[in-house]
Amino acid sequence: MKLILYSWDANNEQILADNLIKLGFDVVWFRKVCRHYTRDMELAMEMIQTVHREGAEAVVSFNYFPIISMICQTCGIMYYAWVYDCPHFTLYAKQIGSPCNQIGIFDREMARRLEDDYGIHTVYHAPLAVDCAYFERALARASRKEREKYRCDVSFVGSLYTDEHNYYDLLFSGDRGNGNVQAADRNRQGGDAESAAVAERGSMEALIGQQCFAYEKDYLRQAVSSEQINLAGLQKSMEEQGLMLGEDYFARSEDILVAAVLEKKVTVEERRRLLTELAEQQKNYDTDVTTENCGKEGADRKYDFRLYTGSDTGALPKLHAHNCGRVDYHTQMPLVFAGSRINLNISLRSIHSGIPLRVLDIMACGGFVLSNRQPEIAEYFGEGVEIATFASMEECMDKVHYYLAHEEERRRIAEAGQRKVQAAFSYESGLMRLFKMQE
């Protein structure tokens, strides 16, 4: 089959192309910025011409682009989209049900909700994949000096979302004077709008705190469905902030509120609290425990904690001292994952079941993963066998200290994790699932 690979500079596009070619696909690259997900007619005309010129039988991309779905429907060919972002609001575009679509979603719960809640039958569960050989080559190219530069005890690679759209503060600030405050004011028969907003903010802070590190219950959706949150009053503010997707989409406002605002805020708080705790506890860390002492002498050694992020940490002084900046996915990130004795995964809370790509990438590099609990992580990886997980901040800290003090056990788990992703999460297996081919 001849495929057009739509490129939008996603990190793994070259890896995807190489593995498609290995499976016998003829790959034609199409590179052009998508300027509007549903109405980019310039992109549409160019891609249609490419489809006809090349005789392409399908288009494939990471993540889902509704405009490409329309192109494929017009040309009478299939569109295969492999979604690794969550939330991914283009999945709520009206074109999602087009029969040309085959949309693999890494988060099983997201796929289930689209099918059960919205009646969408063009989506299915397709876990992500990793090319271990690609990372092995990246590590082999690095010099000893480069490898040593990234050696540390504990690291986290990812965003803190401190400098992106902070919709939570915009919607729930005490002085916004928008429709939600006005609604609260009317409900209190002319009461003080400012006091109502302060009370609302306090209620939301309590809800966010309740959801932090609580993985078994969805307090956020429960609060929305029980009308604990005044959704009707928030509608105008959501529209003003550009959160409502418009007429080309069918997403319910409650789904947008939960995923784009509340779950993001929980993620911000969890990462801030846990990483700050790591930074603080390192001052009192003592490796002089019973057996292995982590390979270094001295009872008062601090563990080396590093944060790799492009987020602004200026307002977080306890983290700012550990911020080593952003790392390149292809050249530096593998060195971090291979050089860190413990690699943390703190998932976006909008990922309800799936295995984040970060987990697979760490394991592919031979790194040890300490992750928050996720249903699909528990399904695919054995606790204490191929991965270590936590369900609270306290449990995370306990396991950091434990695995720093038990080097051989940590290494066995990392090696087993690498073997597992090589066997079960190869691109060959992933593409077989995406294209629904028999292995």
Side-chain angles (χ1 to χ4, degrees):
M1 181 187 294
K2 179 175 277 192
L3 295 172
I4 289 177
L5 170 58
Y6 174 62
S7 170
W8 53 278
D9 290 331
N11 281 326
N12 286 321
E13 286 172 352
Q14 186 62 57
I15 298 173
L16 174 62
D18 292 343
N19 282 278
L20 284 167
I21 293 168
K22 285 181 184 178
L23 288 175
F25 290 96
D26 186 357
V27 176
V28 176
W29 287 79
F30 182 91
R31 294 180 173 91
K32 189 174 181 63
V33 175
C34 181
R35 302 191 182 280
H36 195 288
Y37 288 124
T38 60
R39 302 184 183 188
D40 190 338
M41 290 302 106
E42 184 178 332
L43 183 149
M45 293 305 296
E46 288 191 26
M47 185 175 284
I48 288 171
Q49 291 171 8
T50 304
V51 168
H52 291 314
R53 183 178 66 251
E54 298 290 342
E57 301 168 73
V59 177
V60 64
S61 71
F62 279 125
N63 285 346
Y64 173 68
F65 293 80
I67 188 67
I68 297 179
S69 176
M70 288 187 274
I71 293 165
C72 290
Q73 185 68 18
T74 299
C75 295
I77 63 176
M78 296 301 296
Y79 176 32
Y80 296 92
W82 202 352
V83 175
Y84 65 65
D85 277 340
C86 187
H88 189 51
F89 288 116
T90 58
L91 292 170
Y92 294 100
K94 292 178 180 178
Q95 294 78 19
I96 190 75
S98 173
C100 71
N101 291 333
Q102 294 286 296
I103 304 170
I105 300 176
F106 84 102
D107 187 273
R108 180 186 286 128
E109 179 63 14
M110 186 199 304
R112 184 200 65 77
R113 286 181 177 176
L114 283 166
E115 188 164 5
D116 293 352
D117 297 351
Y118 291 95
I120 305 301
H121 302 295
T122 55
V123 300
Y124 50 95
H125 181 229
L128 298 174
V130 67
D131 189 330
C132 293
Y134 178 87
F135 287 121
E136 287 173 3
R137 291 192 296 271
L139 292 168
R141 287 192 294 267
S143 66
R144 178 177 296 182
K145 183 178 180 180
E146 288 175 311
R147 285 170 169 265
E148 288 298 325
K149 177 182 175 182
Y150 293 99
R151 291 195 186 281
C152 69
D153 294 314
V154 186
S155 73
F156 175 75
V157 179
S159 177
L160 302 186
Y161 303 105
T162 55
D163 43 7
E164 298 185 18
H165 296 297
N166 191 339
Y167 294 118
Y168 178 85
D169 286 339
L170 290 171
L171 291 180
F172 297 103
S173 62
D175 59 354
R176 72 185 187 279
N178 60 23
N180 197 38
V181 174
Q182 292 163 9
D185 191 25
R186 288 194 299 271
N187 290 338
R188 289 161 178 77
Q189 299 179 352
D192 184 2
E194 183 177 354
S195 297
V198 171
E200 177 193 55
R201 176 85 179 201
S203 176
M204 292 307 305
E205 294 291 342
L207 177 63
I208 296 300
Q210 185 181 32
Q211 189 66 74
C212 281
F213 302 105
Y215 301 106
E216 299 298 324
K217 291 186 178 181
D218 194 338
Y219 295 108
L220 304 180
R221 289 187 182 273
Q222 184 180 357
V224 171
S225 62
S226 65
E227 299 184 355
Q228 179 182 337
I229 296 174
N230 181 12
L231 184 61
L234 284 170
Q235 293 272 11
K236 182 179 178 182
S237 293
M238 292 174 67
E239 292 173 0
E240 291 172 351
Q241 299 302 328
L243 281 167
M244 303 306 289
L245 298 175
E247 62 182 4
D248 294 339
Y249 298 82
F250 57 81
R252 295 190 290 253
S253 55
E254 55 264 35
D255 289 333
I256 299 172
L257 174 66
V258 170
V261 181
L262 302 182
E263 288 176 335
K264 182 178 179 181
K265 178 64 173 177
V266 173
T267 303
V268 168
E269 288 301 306
E270 286 183 341
R271 291 185 178 184
R272 180 186 63 80
R273 293 182 194 180
L274 183 49
L275 297 174
T276 299
E277 184 70 11
L278 274 167
E280 290 182 336
Q281 284 206 22
Q282 71 144 3
K283 294 181 294 187
N284 302 316
Y285 177 64
D286 183 347
T287 62
D288 192 18
V289 291
T290 53
T291 53
E292 295 176 25
N293 203 29
C294 299
K296 293 187 179 181
E297 299 297 329
D300 298 323
R301 184 185 68 85
K302 297 178 181 179
Y303 61 73
D304 184 358
F305 164 61
R306 299 185 190 180
L307 170 62
Y308 293 94
T309 184
S311 299
D312 182 7
T313 53
L316 302 168
K318 293 177 181 177
L319 290 180
H320 192 64
H322 299 271
N323 187 359
C324 301
R326 182 181 283 123
V327 287
D328 179 78
Y329 181 88
H330 300 281
T331 59
Q332 298 169 309
M333 187 194 75
L335 301 178
V336 174
F337 291 161
S340 301
R341 295 166 68 209
I342 295 176
N343 293 277
L344 281 174
N345 174 63
I346 311 169
S347 300
L348 282 164
R349 291 309 297 266
S350 50
I351 301 174
H352 289 269
S353 67
I355 304 171
L357 185 59
R358 181 192 293 107
V359 170
L360 303 181
D361 286 344
I362 293 169
M363 290 184 175
C365 295
F368 174 90
V369 181
L370 176 57
S371 171
N372 60 279
R373 300 220 171 110
Q374 294 276 112
E376 292 180 53
I377 287 178
E379 179 181 335
Y380 286 96
F381 299 104
E383 171 66 32
V385 179
E386 294 137 341
I387 197 169
T389 62
F390 59 87
S392 68
M393 190 160 69
E394 293 75 19
E395 185 179 12
C396 178
M397 297 308 306
D398 287 345
K399 289 190 174 180
V400 165
H401 289 198
Y402 177 85
Y403 284 110
L404 287 179
H406 294 80
E407 184 71 5
E408 290 305 315
E409 184 177 356
R410 184 197 64 77
R411 286 179 177 172
R412 284 197 302 270
I413 293 170
E415 290 168 0
Q418 187 176 42
R419 290 193 297 270
K420 172 58 75 71
V421 295
Q422 286 175 328
F425 294 91
S426 68
Y427 262 85
E428 180 178 359
S429 297
L431 290 170
M432 290 286 188
R433 288 189 290 261
L434 180 66
F435 287 93
K436 295 186 173 180
M437 297 185 292
Q438 293 292 327
E439 293 192 60

mmCIF file of all heavy atoms in Angstrom, residues 3 10 45 47 49 64 84 90 124 129 156 161 190-191 251 256 268 286 344 349 397 412-413 428-429:
data_model
loop_
_atom_site.group_PDB
_atom_site.id
_atom_site.type_symbol
_atom_site.label_atom_id
_atom_site.label_comp_id
_atom_site.label_asym_id
_atom_site.label_seq_id
_atom_site.Cartn_x
_atom_site.Cartn_y
_atom_site.Cartn_z
ATOM 1 N N LEU A 3 1.251 4.979 1.090
ATOM 2 C CA LEU A 3 0.701 5.859 2.121
ATOM 3 C C LEU A 3 1.273 7.254 1.998
ATOM 4 O O LEU A 3 2.455 7.420 1.698
ATOM 5 C CB LEU A 3 1.065 5.339 3.520
ATOM 6 C CG LEU A 3 0.505 4.011 3.999
ATOM 7 C CD1 LEU A 3 1.165 3.652 5.314
ATOM 8 C CD2 LEU A 3 -1.000 4.099 4.172
ATOM 9 N N ALA A 10 5.887 16.067 14.590
ATOM 10 C CA ALA A 10 5.797 15.235 15.795
ATOM 11 C C ALA A 10 7.122 14.508 15.989
ATOM 12 O O ALA A 10 7.816 14.174 15.014
ATOM 13 C CB ALA A 10 4.652 14.239 15.670
ATOM 14 N N MET A 45 -6.273 21.369 -0.768
ATOM 15 C CA MET A 45 -6.032 21.329 -2.203
ATOM 16 C C MET A 45 -4.679 20.700 -2.517
ATOM 17 O O MET A 45 -4.555 19.887 -3.448
ATOM 18 C CB MET A 45 -6.112 22.739 -2.783
ATOM 19 C CG MET A 45 -7.505 23.360 -2.732
ATOM 20 S SD MET A 45 -8.770 22.333 -3.525
ATOM 21 C CE MET A 45 -8.194 22.334 -5.221
ATOM 22 N N MET A 47 -2.942 18.542 -0.636
ATOM 23 C CA MET A 47 -2.913 17.117 -0.332
ATOM 24 C C MET A 47 -3.729 16.325 -1.348
ATOM 25 O O MET A 47 -3.328 15.211 -1.746
ATOM 26 C CB MET A 47 -3.425 16.843 1.092
ATOM 27 C CG MET A 47 -3.306 15.376 1.488
ATOM 28 S SD MET A 47 -3.758 15.014 3.208
ATOM 29 C CE MET A 47 -2.317 15.611 4.075
ATOM 30 N N GLN A 49 -4.100 16.995 -4.488
ATOM 31 C CA GLN A 49 -3.242 16.880 -5.669
ATOM 32 C C GLN A 49 -2.172 15.808 -5.465
ATOM 33 O O GLN A 49 -1.873 15.024 -6.383
ATOM 34 C CB GLN A 49 -2.588 18.228 -5.961
ATOM 35 C CG GLN A 49 -3.555 19.303 -6.442
ATOM 36 C CD GLN A 49 -2.912 20.681 -6.518
ATOM 37 O OE1 GLN A 49 -1.696 20.821 -6.360
ATOM 38 N NE2 GLN A 49 -3.720 21.706 -6.747
ATOM 39 N N TYR A 64 -5.129 13.213 15.268
ATOM 40 C CA TYR A 64 -6.229 13.234 14.303
ATOM 41 C C TYR A 64 -6.490 14.654 13.803
ATOM 42 O O TYR A 64 -6.649 15.583 14.598
ATOM 43 C CB TYR A 64 -7.497 12.672 14.951
ATOM 44 C CG TYR A 64 -8.730 12.807 14.100
ATOM 45 C CD1 TYR A 64 -8.868 12.082 12.923
ATOM 46 C CD2 TYR A 64 -9.758 13.677 14.464
ATOM 47 C CE1 TYR A 64 -9.990 12.217 12.128
ATOM 48 C CE2 TYR A 64 -10.890 13.811 13.678
ATOM 49 C CZ TYR A 64 -10.996 13.086 12.509
ATOM 50 O OH TYR A 64 -12.106 13.220 11.717
ATOM 51 N N TYR A 84 -1.778 10.153 20.337
ATOM 52 C CA TYR A 84 -1.009 10.010 21.571
ATOM 53 C C TYR A 84 -1.155 11.198 22.508
ATOM 54 O O TYR A 84 -0.529 11.238 23.569
ATOM 55 C CB TYR A 84 0.474 9.726 21.287
ATOM 56 C CG TYR A 84 1.276 10.807 20.604
ATOM 57 C CD1 TYR A 84 1.518 12.027 21.216
ATOM 58 C CD2 TYR A 84 1.843 10.580 19.358
ATOM 59 C CE1 TYR A 84 2.287 12.998 20.607
ATOM 60 C CE2 TYR A 84 2.627 11.550 18.738
ATOM 61 C CZ TYR A 84 2.841 12.753 19.372
ATOM 62 O OH TYR A 84 3.608 13.721 18.772
ATOM 63 N N THR A 90 -9.717 17.494 18.801
ATOM 64 C CA THR A 90 -10.169 17.283 17.428
ATOM 65 C C THR A 90 -10.962 15.985 17.285
ATOM 66 O O THR A 90 -11.675 15.796 16.300
ATOM 67 C CB THR A 90 -8.980 17.259 16.449
ATOM 68 O OG1 THR A 90 -8.069 16.237 16.837
ATOM 69 C CG2 THR A 90 -8.281 18.613 16.411
ATOM 70 N N TYR A 124 -10.800 3.145 18.161
ATOM 71 C CA TYR A 124 -10.510 1.890 18.830
ATOM 72 C C TYR A 124 -9.224 2.049 19.632
ATOM 73 O O TYR A 124 -8.461 3.009 19.430
ATOM 74 C CB TYR A 124 -10.380 0.736 17.836
ATOM 75 C CG TYR A 124 -9.464 1.006 16.674
ATOM 76 C CD1 TYR A 124 -8.120 0.616 16.689
ATOM 77 C CD2 TYR A 124 -9.941 1.653 15.533
ATOM 78 C CE1 TYR A 124 -7.284 0.868 15.620
ATOM 79 C CE2 TYR A 124 -9.117 1.917 14.449
ATOM 80 C CZ TYR A 124 -7.790 1.524 14.497
ATOM 81 O OH TYR A 124 -6.954 1.787 13.442
ATOM 82 N N ALA A 129 3.720 2.810 20.764
ATOM 83 C CA ALA A 129 4.838 1.915 20.482
ATOM 84 C C ALA A 129 6.152 2.650 20.699
ATOM 85 O O ALA A 129 6.192 3.884 20.811
ATOM 86 C CB ALA A 129 4.749 1.408 19.042
ATOM 87 N N PHE A 156 12.814 14.018 36.479
ATOM 88 C CA PHE A 156 11.514 14.098 35.824
ATOM 89 C C PHE A 156 11.666 14.957 34.583
ATOM 90 O O PHE A 156 12.230 16.053 34.637
ATOM 91 C CB PHE A 156 10.451 14.714 36.741
ATOM 92 C CG PHE A 156 9.130 14.926 36.042
ATOM 93 C CD1 PHE A 156 8.295 13.838 35.765
ATOM 94 C CD2 PHE A 156 8.720 16.190 35.646
ATOM 95 C CE1 PHE A 156 7.088 14.016 35.108
ATOM 96 C CE2 PHE A 156 7.511 16.379 34.990
ATOM 97 C CZ PHE A 156 6.694 15.289 34.718
ATOM 98 N N TYR A 161 3.403 23.213 33.175
ATOM 99 C CA TYR A 161 2.254 24.011 32.715
ATOM 100 C C TYR A 161 2.126 25.336 33.465
ATOM 101 O O TYR A 161 1.026 25.822 33.688
ATOM 102 C CB TYR A 161 0.957 23.202 32.825
ATOM 103 C CG TYR A 161 1.023 21.899 32.055
ATOM 104 C CD1 TYR A 161 1.185 20.680 32.713
ATOM 105 C CD2 TYR A 161 0.971 21.905 30.669
ATOM 106 C CE1 TYR A 161 1.278 19.492 31.992
ATOM 107 C CE2 TYR A 161 1.063 20.722 29.946
ATOM 108 C CZ TYR A 161 1.210 19.527 30.620
ATOM 109 O OH TYR A 161 1.312 18.355 29.905
ATOM 110 N N GLY A 190 -28.989 39.069 45.247
ATOM 111 C CA GLY A 190 -28.346 40.379 45.390
ATOM 112 C C GLY A 190 -27.233 40.403 46.397
ATOM 113 O O GLY A 190 -26.797 41.478 46.811
ATOM 114 N N GLY A 191 -26.731 39.246 46.813
ATOM 115 C CA GLY A 191 -25.633 39.214 47.774
ATOM 116 C C GLY A 191 -24.349 39.730 47.168
ATOM 117 O O GLY A 191 -24.284 40.099 45.992
ATOM 118 N N ALA A 251 -18.488 18.502 21.109
ATOM 119 C CA ALA A 251 -18.123 18.210 22.496
ATOM 120 C C ALA A 251 -19.047 18.937 23.461
ATOM 121 O O ALA A 251 -19.410 20.092 23.259
ATOM 122 C CB ALA A 251 -16.685 18.613 22.767
ATOM 123 N N ILE A 256 -15.251 19.524 28.121
ATOM 124 C CA ILE A 256 -14.179 20.500 27.918
ATOM 125 C C ILE A 256 -13.720 21.068 29.253
ATOM 126 O O ILE A 256 -12.519 21.197 29.518
ATOM 127 C CB ILE A 256 -14.664 21.631 26.991
ATOM 128 C CG1 ILE A 256 -15.059 21.068 25.630
ATOM 129 C CG2 ILE A 256 -13.581 22.696 26.835
ATOM 130 C CD1 ILE A 256 -15.716 22.074 24.722
ATOM 131 N N VAL A 268 -1.148 20.065 37.333
ATOM 132 C CA VAL A 268 -0.240 21.126 37.781
ATOM 133 C C VAL A 268 0.076 20.959 39.261
ATOM 134 O O VAL A 268 1.240 21.022 39.682
ATOM 135 C CB VAL A 268 -0.864 22.513 37.513
ATOM 136 C CG1 VAL A 268 -0.072 23.609 38.228
ATOM 137 C CG2 VAL A 268 -0.925 22.796 36.020
ATOM 138 N N ASP A 286 19.527 9.943 53.521
ATOM 139 C CA ASP A 286 20.626 9.175 54.103
ATOM 140 C C ASP A 286 20.690 7.834 53.387
ATOM 141 O O ASP A 286 19.760 7.041 53.457
ATOM 142 C CB ASP A 286 20.375 8.973 55.602
ATOM 143 C CG ASP A 286 21.521 8.242 56.290
ATOM 144 O OD1 ASP A 286 22.385 7.690 55.582
ATOM 145 O OD2 ASP A 286 21.529 8.209 57.521
ATOM 146 N N LEU A 344 10.870 9.444 36.951
ATOM 147 C CA LEU A 344 9.484 9.613 37.385
ATOM 148 C C LEU A 344 8.553 9.795 36.196
ATOM 149 O O LEU A 344 8.897 10.478 35.225
ATOM 150 C CB LEU A 344 9.354 10.838 38.291
ATOM 151 C CG LEU A 344 9.770 10.702 39.745
ATOM 152 C CD1 LEU A 344 9.691 12.061 40.424
ATOM 153 C CD2 LEU A 344 8.893 9.700 40.473
ATOM 154 N N ARG A 349 -3.634 14.090 34.158
ATOM 155 C CA ARG A 349 -4.828 13.471 34.726
ATOM 156 C C ARG A 349 -5.941 13.267 33.700
ATOM 157 O O ARG A 349 -6.898 12.559 33.961
ATOM 158 C CB ARG A 349 -5.325 14.293 35.909
ATOM 159 C CG ARG A 349 -4.402 14.232 37.120
ATOM 160 C CD ARG A 349 -4.053 12.786 37.510
ATOM 161 N NE ARG A 349 -5.192 12.028 37.914
ATOM 162 C CZ ARG A 349 -5.593 11.882 39.194
ATOM 163 N NH1 ARG A 349 -4.915 12.459 40.162
ATOM 164 N NH2 ARG A 349 -6.646 11.165 39.474
ATOM 165 N N MET A 397 7.520 8.783 47.674
ATOM 166 C CA MET A 397 8.758 9.104 48.376
ATOM 167 C C MET A 397 9.371 7.867 49.013
ATOM 168 O O MET A 397 10.590 7.681 48.993
ATOM 169 C CB MET A 397 8.501 10.179 49.425
ATOM 170 C CG MET A 397 8.040 11.519 48.857
ATOM 171 S SD MET A 397 9.110 12.153 47.538
ATOM 172 C CE MET A 397 10.706 12.137 48.330
ATOM 173 N N ARG A 412 17.380 -4.914 38.004
ATOM 174 C CA ARG A 412 16.627 -6.055 37.472
ATOM 175 C C ARG A 412 15.290 -5.589 36.899
ATOM 176 O O ARG A 412 14.863 -6.052 35.842
ATOM 177 C CB ARG A 412 16.399 -7.094 38.569
ATOM 178 C CG ARG A 412 17.618 -7.931 38.902
ATOM 179 C CD ARG A 412 17.217 -9.187 39.669
ATOM 180 N NE ARG A 412 16.497 -8.864 40.900
ATOM 181 C CZ ARG A 412 17.067 -8.671 42.072
ATOM 182 N NH1 ARG A 412 18.395 -8.732 42.182
ATOM 183 N NH2 ARG A 412 16.355 -8.409 43.154
ATOM 184 N N ILE A 413 14.628 -4.696 37.627
ATOM 185 C CA ILE A 413 13.334 -4.189 37.165
ATOM 186 C C ILE A 413 13.497 -3.403 35.870
ATOM 187 O O ILE A 413 12.708 -3.557 34.926
ATOM 188 C CB ILE A 413 12.677 -3.331 38.257
ATOM 189 C CG1 ILE A 413 12.291 -4.201 39.454
ATOM 190 C CG2 ILE A 413 11.448 -2.592 37.719
ATOM 191 C CD1 ILE A 413 11.854 -3.427 40.677
ATOM 192 N N GLU A 428 6.273 -2.644 15.077
ATOM 193 C CA GLU A 428 5.611 -3.661 14.259
ATOM 194 C C GLU A 428 4.277 -4.064 14.878
ATOM 195 O O GLU A 428 3.241 -4.085 14.198
ATOM 196 C CB GLU A 428 6.512 -4.891 14.110
ATOM 197 C CG GLU A 428 5.891 -5.982 13.262
ATOM 198 C CD GLU A 428 6.792 -7.185 13.072
ATOM 199 O OE1 GLU A 428 7.930 -7.169 13.596
ATOM 200 O OE2 GLU A 428 6.370 -8.136 12.398
ATOM 201 N N SER A 429 4.295 -4.341 16.190
ATOM 202 C CA SER A 429 3.050 -4.707 16.870
ATOM 203 C C SER A 429 2.059 -3.554 16.862
ATOM 204 O O SER A 429 0.860 -3.742 16.633
ATOM 205 C CB SER A 429 3.344 -5.133 18.312
ATOM 206 O OG SER A 429 4.160 -6.274 18.342
#
